[in-house]
Amino acid sequence: MSRTTSESPVRDTIPDADVVIVGAGFGGLYAHYRLRQLGLTLKGFEAAAGVGGTWWWNAYPGARCDVESLDYCYSFSEELLAEWEWSERFATQPEILRYANHVADRFDLRRDILFDTRITACNFDDDTDRWTVETDTGKRVSACFIVAASGCLSAPILPDIPRIESFAGPVHYTSAWPHEGVELSGKRVGFIGTGSSGIQAIPIVAEQAGHLTVFQRTPNFSLPAKNGPVPEPKRALIGPDYPAYARSNKHTPAGYHVAMPEELPDIWTPGRSALDATPEEREAIWNALWESGGTGFTGSYIDLTINPESNRLVSEFVHSKIREIVDDPETADRLCPTDHPFASKRLCLDTDYFATFNRANVSLVDIKATPIERITADSVEAGGVSHPIDILVLATGFDAVSGSMLKINPKGRGGHPLADKWGDRFDTYLGMMIAGYPNLFMIHGPGAPGVLFTMPLGGERHTAWIANCIRHLDETGLGAIEPTEEAEAAWDREITSMAERTLYMRTNSWYTGANVPGKPRQFLAHLQGSKYFDRINAIADEGFVDGFVSEERRSVDASV
Ligand code: NA7
């Protein structure tokens, strides 16, 4: 069903393609697999030197997935599910990268991808209904469709820290960690950022460094991962038919099933409010879930993220655990998050994070109480105290969900840049398409479940929808499809009203865009997981009418 004729001229160095796929992370790789099956010609661009996306860049020590490995993988191939063995409950970044490479090799997914190549322009032509994409390596390609699999966490923030450029030693971002590693032994390391990345990296950095000074602006909630072999309750839940289990993940709210610890069934029933349990029951259940590790903890009661009182109780439980682990009461106090509700930011999973602050070679500086005044050639000065450092590590987060699209900044109908359209609101329809940007599909865009649904699985479901849409256009002789602005506005209202019923909106986090100075405040994820995917599939089944406008396909001549 190729739309690009063999007579299409070679422009610059690349032949025209039906589809340009941006990114070779989990979303992009699967898009290559699925859209190739439709007989479409593809061209992929990836800024990194290899596949893996976020997992290629975030090679910092301690990087791991916070979803269990048996869930954080593709479900589309029974052979792949059968042949790949994860070595741990929560896979490390190197193992996930090996998996991405294995998938790319096994399904020959690299052949259409140009690596080390960043997109510099992406422009729609109203006369031909085609996109032209240009790269920093001087390539140019024309395509009917763009699939932007550019990632939710792939536009790092460069923090505004006074005089950071004065530092004479090496500065390393966790989000662009050198693959060859960084020699930390014996070094005085300054570490800024205590979100997921910091909380994972800090215990390992502490083991290697001579001295580690953590500059914390906001403490975060973190649960013990209790990593190791896959626990028995999880194996029992999966049962003998792993492919069937993996497929069934599609029908869950977050893209995976939670295995409750074996001892819980006696004292726990699903679907209760924390307020309906006695203090003793809550304590017993939370202790059991704390000990079994992972984010199953949040499934203890249904109202932890919606009812402020339930949230207060669980927050206090976590504070008590932090105080139990950390020897120095003042340090423990500083590590207890009190400015936001439990789980209203991305919940962290850690291995010995809080215990790391008992080490003699680790100090914690509260930079909210004593802000960083300046960085000098060999120190961080905060609250009038100079902290000598040899290496600075920054784990300061991302312009999440929308940032990578804005880096591409496609120009849609009338040459209208996305940066203008998204100046004060990240309007999309279904989190996948944008009015005025025909035939441009996003995987995990603003308004889709994104990071709140297991990413490889969500990417599969998005791509299936995109494949159906392209097939639909082909079968009906249509050339271009885009949503209406009315549909976008209704989608926005829906996402916002769902989020407003939760505690997410009360928190300054990257979920709400509050971590980026000047970014519009908007909850960026659809909260209904599998129901979201059922919904977009129903729209596909009904012929992509609801919320969309389409136009006739232009003649092939017009595209050349
Ligand atoms: P996060 O979760 O956004 O954390 C970033 C951290 O960096 C957080 O502690 C910030 O403090 C801190 N930060 C950011 N800017 C500054 C400045 N200027 N000064 C001091 N501290 C700063 O990013 P992560 O990479 O850890 O995690 C992102 C996701 O990746 C994670 O949720 C997983 O899903 C994977 P703040 O809280 O803003 O006060």
Side-chain angles (χ1 to χ4, degrees), residues 153 159 192-197 217-218 345-346 367 395-398 510:
L153 295 160
I192 301 178
T194 51
S196 268
S197 306
R217 192 162 67 179
T218 313
K345 287 186 179 186
R346 180 83 176 187
I367 55 170
T396 42
F398 300 88
W510 59 263

Side-chain angles (χ1 to χ4, degrees), residues 501-539:
R501 293 196 290 273
T502 70
L503 301 174
Y504 289 120
M505 292 300 275
R506 298 199 188 176
T507 299
N508 291 328
S509 72
W510 59 263
Y511 286 165
T512 56
N515 65 326
V516 181
K519 185 168 177 174
R521 178 109 186 192
Q522 181 182 347
F523 193 73
L524 293 174
H526 193 286
L527 281 170
Q528 285 188 329
S530 63
K531 283 191 190 154
Y532 158 89
F533 287 108
D534 294 344
R535 171 95 174 280
I536 64 169
N537 288 342
I539 291 170

Side-chain angles (χ1 to χ4, degrees), residues 342-356:
F342 170 80
S344 62
K345 287 186 179 186
R346 180 83 176 187
L347 203 47
C348 305
L349 285 190
D350 73 271
T351 301
D352 297 333
Y353 174 67
F354 295 112
T356 296

